[in-house]
Amino acid sequence: MERIGREVERELARGGSRDAIPLAALTAAWPTVVGEAIARHAWPLRIARDGTLHVATSSATWAHELAFLGDEIAGRLRERLGADSPARLKCAVGPVPEGASMNVLEKAVPEASEVPDEVVSEAASAAAAITDPELRELVARAARASLLKARSGRNF
């Protein structure tokens, strides 16, 4: 199986797409590694020959903000993907896919059944005053995700 993988990579390289497989793995891990907020506004585009990950952002503000978090994000990618992960990030305004990132993000935000009871209770309490049931559930879900992120120790 490893030989087939090398052959596929070799053929992709011949066609100018040598980073297609590493980029696919990176793109799949991106929302989990950076979190929902960043994934909504920044998306990996390509890996340069020097190992730099080029990231498209929805605005110059996001590009500037991610410049400060670049080393930390690269470190988390290394933890998740191993030695094949990019050494550094370069962020600039560019296309951020709406549909692809949101589909992956839906899996990244846990449902209430996967969250500790005290977090579910606190999130439900925060959203209790909202009369619209759909909006109340969205706010409760966002509160659960926020509470879980705060407890995870992630800085972004």
Side-chain angles (χ1 to χ4, degrees), residues 101-153:
S101 62
M102 294 307 107
N103 289 340
V104 176
L105 284 173
E106 287 173 4
K107 298 174 191 168
V109 178
E111 292 297 324
S113 62
E114 303 169 4
V115 178
D117 290 339
E118 65 272 7
V119 172
V120 172
S121 176
E122 192 174 343
S125 174
I130 300 171
T131 56
D132 181 327
E134 185 177 334
L135 181 58
R136 183 174 51 246
E137 176 53 33
L138 287 172
V139 170
R141 189 170 183 198
R144 286 193 305 267
S146 179
L147 290 166
L148 287 173
K149 185 187 110 190
R151 293 176 183 202
S152 75

Side-chain angles (χ1 to χ4, degrees), residues 14-15 22 24 42 46-47 53 61 82-83 91 95 98 104 127 136 140-141 148 154:
R14 280 183 17 165
R46 68 181 181 88
I47 301 171
L53 173 62
T61 303
C91 303
E98 291 180 32
V104 176
R136 183 174 51 246
R141 189 170 183 198
L148 287 173
R154 288 193 321 202

